[in-house]
């Protein structure tokens, strides 16, 4: 464990040598290699048939990489040595993304720079975050175990099928924040990721691989531990729609993660929301919309995308999504001091959300500052007052707990801060 010297505010910023924590990750992957990770069972079956192997070999590979989390072809012992060698000689490797650097917060949050080098793509790092106990962002959405702050109700877990038996308690509870692109093209004025511009899309294997790498690191037991996924890291998932949804299907169908424990956040890409509305319920995450402003006038200053798709057009698209029983749409709302955090803004947001007629909740996020971004954090008290106004208007509203502030809290901040 060594202190990371080149950062401001480094007292609690700790960089770990990730290689100590990621056994089996030593091989790296050459840019010209062909990754198996990212292919689904059907693809792997086709691959095996194409090299003259029986189809069940494809299922064995899927089992090894998505359920046993094997990272080296040589370790897939269900395959014959000859087949393993044949695949390596043909340039195949598992090629799962690798956790390259680890930053630990005093609050238990871990941030990772994850190296992605899928064939054909430039080698890039993206940011993934592990937040033990969640960040409260999942409160009150009605489909999973809830940290119910408002009424102190007991945890509900009626739909995920996970054990609620106290004799066999779930061991871990956490949220993983996942990136969908390297950088982002949407250019929201308050967001550090925007400063990177869009570098490239991530592949399905690079998106799902962030999740598996982190589950592996924490020895998560799927179906027992309560781990939520939020696609709220770097990038706009709905501007990388096909790869994003392919990653979701890998995680659901190959690894058996529950779609009801997944939330995708979009800045309001209407064609993406319309496609999302066509996805079968059992193969789609829950939906969060980054509202971030009480009206179009303010929103278009903060989020230029609002010129293309205004609040009404986003809400119209959201209405097309057929919700599960008790599912709610989440509206995310970043509070910017003096800009979006005033009492009249709260009243306007309450009216706006009520007018949509959607089963909805609001997640409030106090803005996380970043270098060169000309906004300020909300005043102490403003956040709670804002929440109170919404709750009194009958809108469920929750505060996203700031996590890992000492290691650059907002998703997307780390890469920018560490790599400049
Ligand atoms: N691109 C998608 C998902 C990634 S951003 C989207 O915009 O929804 C995830 C969330 O982080 C969004 O709600 C965004 O508004 C919020 N966010 C971005 N920068 C932030 C910052 N500096 N402080 C707090 N939240 C921020
Ligand atoms: Fe992109 Fe989301 Fe940041 Fe906007 S808030 S720039 S959409 S990552």
């Amino acid at each position: 464990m060594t202190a990371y010297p080149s950062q401001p505010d480094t007292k609690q910023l700790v960089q770990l040598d990730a290689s100590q924590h990621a056994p089996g990750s030593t091989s790296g992957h050459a840019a010209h290699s062909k990754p198996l990770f990212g292919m689904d069972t059907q693809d792997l079956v086709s691959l095996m048939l194409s090299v003259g192997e029986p189809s069940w070999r494809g299922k064995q590979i899927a089992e090894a990489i998505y359920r046993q989390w094997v990272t080296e072809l040589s370790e897939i012992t269900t395959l014959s040595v000859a087949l393993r060698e044949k695949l390596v000689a043909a340039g195949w490797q598992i090629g799962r993304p690798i956790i390259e650097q680890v930053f630990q917060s005093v609050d238990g949050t871990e941030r990772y720079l994850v190296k992605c080098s899928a064939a054909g793509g430039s080698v890039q790092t993206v940011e993934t975050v592990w937040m033990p106990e969640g960040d409260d962002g999942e409160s009150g959405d009605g489909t999973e175990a809830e940290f119910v702050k408002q009424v102190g109700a007991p945890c509900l877990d009626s739909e995920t099928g996970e054990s609620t038996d106290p004799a066999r308690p779930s061991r871990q509870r956490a949220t993983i924040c996942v990136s969908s692109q390297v950088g982002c093209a949407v250019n929201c004025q308050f967001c550090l990721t925007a400063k990177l511009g869009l570098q490239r899309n991530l592949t399905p294997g690079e998106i799902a691989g962030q999740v598996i790498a982190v589950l592996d690191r924490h020895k998560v037991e799927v179906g027992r531990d309560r781990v939520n996924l939020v696609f709220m890291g770097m990038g706009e998932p709905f501007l990388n729609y096909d790869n994003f949804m392919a990653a979701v299907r890998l995680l659901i169908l190959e690894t058996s993660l529950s779609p009801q424990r997944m939330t995708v956040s979009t800045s309001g890409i209407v064609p993406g929301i319309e496609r999302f509305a066509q996805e079968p319920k059992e193969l789609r995450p829950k939906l969060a919309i980054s509202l971030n402003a009480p009206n179009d006038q303010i929103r278009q200053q903060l989020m230029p995308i609002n010129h293309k798709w205004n609040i009404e057009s986003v809400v119209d698209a959201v209405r097309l999504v057929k919700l599960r029983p008790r599912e709610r749409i989440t509206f995310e709302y970043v509070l910017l001091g003096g800009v979006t955090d005033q009492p009249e803004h709260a009243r306007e947001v309450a009216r706006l959300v009520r007018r949509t007629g959607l089963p909805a909740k609001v997640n409030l996020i106090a803005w996380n500052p970043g270098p060169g971004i000309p906004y300020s954090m909300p005043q102490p008290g403003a956040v709670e007052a804002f929440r109170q106004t919404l709750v009194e208007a009958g809108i469920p509203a929750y505060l996203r707990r700031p996590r890992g502030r000492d290691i650059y809290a907002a998703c997307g901040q780390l890469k920018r801060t560490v790599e400049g």
Side-chain angles (χ1 to χ4, degrees):
M1 223 187 252
T2 50
Y4 195 75
S6 62
Q7 296 304 308
D9 192 20
T10 50
K11 274 198 295 293
Q12 296 145 333
L13 181 68
V14 175
Q15 180 190 1
L16 300 176
D17 174 2
S19 60
Q20 293 168 14
H21 300 273
S25 68
T26 46
S27 68
H29 28 184
H32 60 268
S33 72
K34 298 184 276 189
L36 296 166
F37 199 98
M39 298 170 81
D40 64 13
T41 297
Q42 200 48 53
D43 296 333
L44 293 166
V45 164
S46 304
L47 175 67
M48 286 300 103
L49 292 173
S50 74
V51 296
E53 296 287 331
S55 62
W56 45 266
R57 289 292 189 204
K59 294 185 186 143
Q60 288 178 320
I61 297 176
E63 172 76 24
I65 63 182
Y66 296 118
R67 293 185 192 272
Q68 292 162 6
W69 305 337
V70 174
T71 54
E72 301 291 333
L73 254 176
S74 61
E75 289 164 11
I76 308 185
T77 48
T78 48
L79 304 182
S80 67
V81 174
L83 175 54
R84 286 179 248 166
E85 284 170 356
K86 181 161 92 176
L87 289 171
V88 171
W92 291 99
Q93 60 173 227
I94 293 179
R96 192 177 85 189
I98 291 166
I99 295 178
E100 205 171 53
Q101 287 183 50
V102 180
F103 298 84
Q104 285 185 325
S105 166
V106 286
D107 67 14
T109 300
E110 286 189 354
R111 295 179 172 265
Y112 315 105
L113 284 180
V114 178
K115 185 166 130 198
C116 294
S117 45
S122 55
V123 178
Q124 292 273 3
T125 56
V126 291
E127 185 186 335
T128 312
V129 186
W130 164 268
M131 294 169 278
E133 299 295 321
D135 66 350
D136 292 357
E138 64 274 42
S139 300
D141 55 14
T143 55
E144 58 190 20
E146 299 177 354
F147 303 100
V148 183
K149 260 189 182 167
Q150 285 187 316
V151 289
C155 287
L156 310 169
D157 202 4
S158 53
E159 296 196 10
T160 57
E162 290 169 7
S163 169
T164 51
D165 177 358
R168 195 172 170 271
S170 68
R171 298 177 312 130
Q172 301 201 65
R173 193 161 160 157
T175 297
I176 302 174
C177 181
V178 186
S179 294
S180 56
Q181 297 180 308
V182 186
C184 184
V186 178
N187 201 21
C188 303
Q189 299 296 295
F190 49 82
C191 173
L192 208 53
T193 302
K195 303 268 178 204
L196 293 167
L198 177 63
Q199 308 289 316
R200 75 164 167 88
N201 279 330
L202 294 178
T203 65
E206 289 170 337
I207 298 170
Q210 294 167 62
V211 176
I212 302 298
V214 174
L215 294 177
D216 190 8
R217 173 179 167 81
H218 288 275
K219 302 286 166 266
V220 167
E221 283 183 50
V222 173
R224 183 164 173 208
D225 297 329
R226 291 182 182 169
V227 176
N228 297 299
L229 304 185
V230 294
F231 298 96
M232 298 185 184
M234 300 170 66
E236 170 48 63
F238 284 2
L239 290 179
N240 184 20
Y241 189 89
D242 291 320
N243 288 354
F244 165 69
M245 282 305 298
V248 165
R249 286 190 289 273
L250 287 175
L251 293 167
I252 295 170
L253 298 173
E254 306 289 349
T255 303
S256 295
L257 297 180
S258 166
Q260 308 200 48
R261 292 199 175 281
M262 301 179 187
T263 302
V264 58
S265 173
T266 177
S267 56
I269 308 297
V270 165
I273 301 170
E274 289 170 349
R275 287 186 70 186
F276 184 82
Q278 304 298 317
E279 302 286 350
K281 288 190 188 89
E282 60 285 2
L283 289 179
R284 68 153 176 84
K286 295 178 292 179
L287 182 62
I289 302 291
S290 292
L291 179 63
N292 292 341
N295 56 50
D296 283 321
Q297 204 199 349
I298 299 180
R299 194 170 190 265
Q300 68 204 15
Q301 283 163 22
L302 305 175
M303 302 176 70
I305 195 84
N306 197 81
H307 289 292
K308 192 156 190 179
W309 294 297
N310 65 14
I311 296 174
E312 194 185 342
S313 68
V314 171
V315 168
D316 283 346
V318 171
R319 284 207 190 87
L320 302 173
V321 179
K322 288 180 267 327
L323 299 177
R324 305 171 177 101
R326 297 202 303 280
E327 181 177 354
R328 287 176 189 272
I329 298 291
T330 301
F331 288 103
E332 291 166 279
Y333 192 97
V334 177
L335 290 149
L336 299 169
V339 179
T340 60
D341 68 341
Q342 301 297 298
E344 68 266 24
H345 298 146
R347 290 191 292 272
E348 215 176 335
V349 170
R351 283 196 298 275
L352 190 162
V353 172
R354 247 206 322 254
R355 251 197 341 265
T356 68
L358 291 163
K361 63 161 184 152
V362 175
N363 266 0
L364 298 171
I365 315 163
W367 179 68
N368 286 298
I373 305 194
Y375 291 104
S376 50
M377 293 168 68
Q379 290 299 310
V383 179
E384 185 50 29
F386 202 105
R387 192 183 78 84
Q388 273 301 328
T389 301
L390 293 176
V391 169
E392 280 160 20
I395 314 281
Y398 302 86
L399 249 186
R400 185 100 72 75
R401 255 194 298 155
R403 297 301 304 260
R405 271 246 161 92
D406 51 328
I407 51 168
Y408 299 97
C411 285
Q413 286 195 310
L414 182 64
K415 178 183 170 67
R416 176 79 190 166
T417 316
V418 172
E419 298 184 345

